Amino acid sequence: MRYGTGVMLVLAAGTLWSLMGLGLRQIEDASVWNIMFWRSVGMAPVLLAWIAWTSGGKPVAAVKSVGVAGAIGGFGLVFAFAGAIYAIQTTTIANAVFLFTASPFVAAVLGWILLRERVAPATWAAIGLAVVGMFVMVREGLAVGALVGNMAALLSAVGFGAFSVALRWGKLADMLPAALLGAVFSAAAAALVIVVLGEPFVVSPRDMGIATGIGAVVLAVGMIFFTIGSRVIPAADLTLFSLIEVLLAPLWVWAILGETASSGTFVGGAILLAAVAFNAVAGTRARRVSPA
């Protein structure tokens, strides 16, 4: 695959993922756990079908190959999915997606603590800048009553960071089997909470259809595009290209729903995006100057 083709696939994935907030805004009555359950129900079959095709009809063997690392990564996605849904429902899309971008820094810190991976000085600087941006956003959330939503968005970032570290720990080249486990674990966790809370599994056909569609198309197809494209793109470049999701998500809800965000969100978000971009550029330069 050519580099340009990989870029187009990654950008297509980010564009799909940017629609998630807009889709969740269309859900009327379903709870966080209903959405999580039906979204996972939509996501799992698509990923399973793709894994079955790429593994030569041996999806079970492909899933087993990820081992304990893939299972831990899958559990990380449970927190990532639940936190993302709750955040999008309780704060602005801009606030949520900006805070989601903290996940690479969470992964860097967790990798340093758990895997003893070296963190470059430039990454530490970017982490410090990101903390400043997140503080501005969370402080603003306290003033507008969205603090819990901000905390949920950060929990989602931690979940995705844990997913990334688990993949590195297991040296897994393909994240799709672990993502499939994440969908299965998320459906099981949501089902358990629904039973405990006494909520109905069956909500309105509209809400079920939207949640299932988000899982099957926005998340699953986007993840397939991203996985294929990422095979020919360095990790630092991937970070930059993935920002398309952060840039587009607030635009969709602004253009279609008229939703905007506070000045604190955009100031803090701009600082956070600058940190992500700086870290990605620094990583690209380090890759170029390192010996072959």
Side-chain angles (χ1 to χ4, degrees), residues 46-173:
V46 176
L47 292 182
L48 180 62
W50 180 263
I51 293 169
W53 183 60
T54 56
S55 64
K58 299 178 180 179
V60 175
V63 173
K64 284 183 177 180
S65 69
V66 301
V68 175
I72 294 174
F75 278 116
L77 287 182
V78 174
F79 293 96
F81 290 163
I85 295 170
Y86 187 83
I88 287 173
Q89 287 194 319
T90 54
T91 187
T92 64
I93 300 298
N95 235 45
V97 296
F98 281 141
L99 289 172
F100 293 161
T101 61
S103 59
F105 301 125
V106 173
V109 173
L110 288 177
W112 174 61
I113 295 172
L114 300 176
L115 306 181
R116 299 295 185 228
E117 291 182 342
R118 177 181 175 273
V119 179
T123 298
W124 282 121
I127 289 172
L129 187 61
V131 169
V132 173
M134 288 186 287
F135 172 76
V136 172
M137 296 176 68
V138 173
R139 184 185 63 176
E140 182 75 12
L142 181 61
V144 300
L147 182 61
V148 177
N150 288 343
M151 294 297 100
L154 289 176
L155 175 64
S156 179
V158 171
F160 278 115
F163 174 71
S164 302
V165 170
L167 296 189
R168 295 209 300 267
W169 171 56
K171 296 179 171 53
L172 304 181

Side-chain angles (χ1 to χ4, degrees), residues 32-44 74-75 77-79 81-82 179-197 201:
V32 170
W33 305 108
N34 288 137
I35 296 171
M36 186 169 164
F37 177 78
W38 289 108
R39 196 178 73 168
S40 300
V41 166
M43 181 181 178
F75 278 116
L77 287 182
V78 174
F79 293 96
F81 290 163
L180 173 61
L181 288 177
V184 173
F185 294 160
S186 295
L192 178 62
V193 174
I194 288 172
V195 170
V196 170
L197 295 180
F201 274 95

